[in-house]
Amino acid sequence: IYNSYINATGKNGSFAEAKNAFEEIVRLGIANTVTYTSYINVAGKNGRFTEAKNAFEEAVRLDIANTVTYNSYINAAGENGKLTEAKTAFEEAVRLGIADIGTYNSYINATWKNGNFTEAKNAFEEAVRLDIADTGIYANYINTAGENGIFIKAKNAFEKAVRLGIAETKIYTSYIYAA
């Protein structure tokens, strides 16, 4: 119930309520991975990056951070202009062997929001090499290339997605946006 309440209040502009619920569940000693992940997510979406970072670091220290926790933190960092933090968490998730499609997608999205095409390109190429690049990863990479004025990279990724048969509406939309 607490985890759902943290999500609901945080997503509806009542961050103070989400924070109170998070602090209470921690105080009661019943906070778990979902609790921390939910709080990191709503803190990031509400521009409270320091609180997201503190919760992430505590989840790591408590050894309850999982792939989704890392993904939420990478998203929070990206949304709040903290690309260095996003990169550190991404690299740690890769090093720990817990990075998945969502982790790569979150990191490429964070680079897009922060205008760093080189990092997006590196993560995209690694996801392709690992054979985990899905429509979301392709779409985010195409968006990043377009946003950074590198249309030829967007076109190449779009054409590859078409050849692979994974070019869905999301990829076509990203390509149109990139053009």
Side-chain angles (χ1 to χ4, degrees):
I1 302 277
Y2 278 98
N3 297 336
S4 297
Y5 186 67
I6 289 169
N7 278 326
T9 56
K11 290 178 181 176
N12 288 293
S14 300
F15 181 74
E17 287 293 320
K19 182 178 180 179
N20 288 341
F22 174 73
E23 289 173 348
E24 183 174 343
I25 195 169
V26 169
R27 183 183 58 73
L28 292 172
I30 56 174
N32 60 22
T33 301
V34 175
T35 309
Y36 280 88
T37 301
S38 297
Y39 186 68
I40 291 163
N41 187 41
V42 298
K45 288 183 188 292
N46 282 277
R48 306 295 185 96
F49 179 71
T50 300
E51 295 188 45
K53 181 179 180 180
N54 291 342
F56 174 72
E57 289 173 348
E58 187 172 336
V60 169
R61 183 180 57 74
L62 294 171
D63 198 30
I64 60 172
N66 66 11
T67 302
V68 179
T69 311
Y70 274 84
N71 297 352
S72 292
Y73 181 67
I74 292 166
N75 285 329
E79 287 187 25
N80 287 278
K82 306 292 186 185
L83 187 56
T84 301
E85 298 283 347
K87 181 179 181 177
T88 299
F90 172 73
E91 289 173 345
E92 185 174 333
V94 169
R95 183 182 59 74
L96 293 172
I98 62 170
D100 65 1
I101 290 170
T103 312
Y104 280 85
N105 210 359
S106 294
Y107 186 61
I108 292 169
N109 194 44
T111 64
W112 172 29
K113 290 179 178 178
N114 289 277
N116 190 320
F117 178 72
T118 302
E119 286 296 320
K121 180 179 174 286
N122 292 342
F124 173 74
E125 288 174 351
E126 185 174 338
V128 169
R129 184 181 58 73
L130 295 171
D131 199 29
I132 62 169
D134 66 350
T135 55
I137 289 174
Y138 271 89
N140 274 338
Y141 178 71
I142 292 167
N143 284 332
T144 305
E147 190 74 22
N148 285 276
I150 308 171
F151 177 70
I152 190 66
K153 296 291 186 183
K155 182 178 180 186
N156 291 343
F158 171 74
E159 289 173 349
K160 184 171 184 175
V162 170
R163 279 193 313 275
L164 292 172
I166 63 168
E168 298 174 2
T169 303
K170 186 176 190 176
I171 289 178
Y172 279 93
T173 304
S174 295
Y175 183 63
I176 292 167
Y177 173 75

